[in-house]
Amino acid sequence: MPRTLKPMRRIGRGGAGFMIHILAFYLFAVLTIASGAITILARNPVHSVLWLILAFFNAAGLMVLVGAEFIAMLLVIVYVGAVAVLFLFVVMMLDIDFAELRAGFIKNFPLGILIALVLLAEIVLGVGAYQAGAMQLGTPDGSAATPVGASNIEAIGALLYGRYLFLFEAAGIILLVAMIGAIVLTHRQRTDVRGQDISKQIARRPDEATVNTQPEIGKGVQL
Amino acid sequence: MTAYFQSLGMSHDWAWFVATVCGILLIAVPLLVAVAMTIYADRKIWAAMALRRGPNVVGPWGLLQSFADGLKVFLQETIVPSASNKGLFLIAPIVTFTVALLAWAVIPFNSGAVLADLNVGLLYILAISSLGIYGVVVAGWASNSKYPFFSAMRAAAQMISYEVSIGFILICVVLWAGSFNLNDIILAQRGHIFGLLNGFAFNPLLFPMWVMFLISALAETARAPFDLTEVESELVAGYQTEYSSMAFAAYWLGEYANVLLMCALNAVLFFGGWLPPLDWAPLYWIPGWIWLFAKIGFFFFVFSWVKATVPRYRYDQLMRLGWKVFLPVSLLWVVLVSGYLMLTRYGV
């Protein structure tokens, strides 16, 4: 039986293992918040993205601590490995005018505060509803979600491809439509450039592409 | 190992801690020596294919060449360009080197001989290998120099492109094995074909996936013919142009540690890892780690062979292969494999 990603759980409460668990939680939590704050405060946008990556990474560490190793790995693979790389890719290539950015800060400040307040309210409402026991996580009818196997990959799989199959497929279709939309909007059929036809290139043989001539001296070759 | 340290009179927690540290050292130190020897092997194989002698002066048959190079690099001055972003410039090689070592934590060397037996082992490897990009991209940006920057852009696009198809290829293997745990994946390959051949690569349905994985691994580690991040004819030395001394050595070691990791993944996912190639009792008398190391060595030979013989790709050809050939084919294969398994194993 493979060990899951939570060796501290086995050791149990009270011992040094519990202390490490607590220490790890505060380390990850403080680093997440700190790097989140520096993401906003950093002057250089590339530094901002790198701090954001550190925040993602520490959030993954927190996920490991609560035993959600699948979510932790997905967080690293999807956000750190793909989304943040594209972020970094774009930000590095942008030619950013810092003075203009700072001028925009004052203008957008009220909007930013409003969004922050909305997010805060949502978190408070969510935690409040959870505390009040309105709904157990995982099932809409209030009964506790039943994990199918020992690993949470199997549990998530059973929920996604069983109970929430149609929602999952709907999300997939929305993403597909978004992708096709992005391609249609940016794709241009250009006629003024010389493109390559790979199969034509591969199908070329030496005898049809080259000629062997023996030109007379001083005459040159007709190509 | 925890039990052994407990027998020395330590408490359980301390024994666990000491055992883990010992396990890390047992993997990292031999790995670094192995990396030095593979650099030597790479040069020797390359030389032999070009009818040259290769390194043959330092030590018997030139065996100590890599250690001499390491010492030379260690004694050099570290030059940090004045226009560079100093902190990131120095962090980038550390990231590359650390990430190259991290992934080895989940590779099983024998039955039960694994540092971290995670049940998301393969996802862990995907997550760690996707971090490898940052060492390269940050180096290219922090150098504040034209060619390293081009190289970093190329590296980022290349690694992301091939990671997508590698993901689909791994899904095929995981579907067949029914687990993300590397040890379970190896055990699922035991007697896979006719109850005799150990390895998914002998399965006709998974064989094309192995070929694609091998090619994607070359692209993912930026080895020839896909070494477009360090093409000397276009980009000087690519992202490591501005690096010198130990920072340069960190890239060098990290690159080869990544190549060895990809060879190990080839062995573990498609050729039965520490299982012998045939499910025949006398072959099991040879310890599992010898089989694994022999397979890793064989795949490293294939990597060197390709480097010595195949001409370099053009960048647009590389992108075409990744997005227009490998991605659709591997996606189709996920459907084929899951369809086949639904018909035969699970019953529709």
Side-chain angles (χ1 to χ4, degrees), chain A residues 2-5 11 16-17 44 46-47 50 53 57 69-70 76-77 80-81 84-85 89 92 153 196 198, chain B residues 13 16 85 88 115 117-120 123-124 126-127 130-131 134 137 141 149 153 156 160 180-181 314 316 320:
Chain A
R3 172 153 57 87
T4 56
L5 241 176
I11 297 165
N44 191 325
V46 173
H47 290 180
L50 291 173
I53 291 163
F57 213 74
E69 71 263 16
F70 182 65
V76 176
I77 292 172
V80 180
V85 172
F89 201 82
M92 276 182 180
I153 301 177
Q196 298 184 37
I198 303 289
Chain B
D13 294 350
W16 176 82
N85 200 311
L88 289 178
L115 182 64
D117 195 13
L118 306 181
N119 54 13
V120 287
L123 285 176
Y124 172 81
L126 270 181
S130 65
L131 290 180
Y134 287 107
V137 172
W141 183 79
F149 188 63
M153 291 292 123
I160 286 192
F180 275 102
N181 179 278
R314 226 170 43 213
D316 61 311
R320 177 181 167 271

Side-chain angles (χ1 to χ4, degrees), chain A residues 15-36:
Chain A
F18 184 64
M19 273 304 296
I20 296 173
H21 201 153
I22 295 279
L23 276 178
F25 171 77
Y26 280 110
L27 183 73
F28 286 139
V30 167
L31 279 176
T32 308
I33 294 171
S35 45

Side-chain angles (χ1 to χ4, degrees), chain A:
Chain A
M1 190 66 224
R3 172 153 57 87
T4 56
L5 241 176
K6 36 182 179 180
M8 297 312 157
R9 281 284 171 80
R10 285 179 301 120
I11 297 165
R13 285 169 171 269
F18 184 64
M19 273 304 296
I20 296 173
H21 201 153
I22 295 279
L23 276 178
F25 171 77
Y26 280 110
L27 183 73
F28 286 139
V30 167
L31 279 176
T32 308
I33 294 171
S35 45
I38 304 174
T39 305
I40 306 167
L41 297 175
R43 302 217 162 172
N44 191 325
V46 173
H47 290 180
S48 281
V49 177
L50 291 173
W51 284 110
L52 183 67
I53 291 163
L54 190 65
F56 283 148
F57 213 74
N58 284 300
L62 286 175
M63 290 292 180
V64 170
L65 282 185
V66 296
E69 71 263 16
F70 182 65
I71 304 285
M73 292 301 149
L74 278 196
L75 199 66
V76 176
I77 292 172
V78 175
Y79 282 92
V80 180
V83 174
V85 172
L86 293 178
F87 254 45
L88 201 60
F89 201 82
V90 172
V91 168
M92 276 182 180
M93 289 205 283
L94 290 179
D95 189 22
I96 293 167
D97 186 2
F98 293 107
E100 200 177 309
L101 266 184
R102 248 165 263 148
F105 180 76
I106 303 295
K107 199 182 74 186
N108 293 325
F109 192 70
L111 187 65
I113 288 289
L114 188 68
I115 292 173
L117 281 178
V118 169
L119 285 177
L120 184 70
E122 277 184 359
I123 291 173
V124 169
L125 275 177
V127 172
Y130 179 69
Q131 288 284 354
M135 186 175 96
Q136 288 276 325
L137 286 181
T139 55
D141 58 345
S143 60
T146 44
V148 190
S151 74
N152 53 42
I153 301 177
E154 286 169 32
I156 289 175
L159 274 180
L160 268 189
Y161 294 101
R163 195 189 290 269
Y164 297 116
L165 180 65
F166 290 111
L167 290 175
F168 184 67
E169 285 186 340
I173 288 172
I174 290 170
L175 286 174
L176 182 69
V177 169
M179 188 177 82
I180 294 173
I183 293 172
V184 167
L185 286 177
T186 52
H187 187 72
R188 288 179 297 162
Q189 206 79 45
R190 291 178 64 180
T191 49
D192 56 330
V193 287
R194 285 158 64 93
Q196 298 184 37
D197 187 346
I198 303 289
S199 48
K200 224 167 125 187
Q201 289 180 352
I202 294 170
R204 249 161 96 98
R205 290 284 160 260
D207 51 332
E208 66 198 46
T210 56
V211 281
N212 206 350
T213 56
Q214 196 73 48
E216 277 179 54
I217 293 167
K219 283 281 173 64
V221 193
Q222 193 73 43
L223 285 173

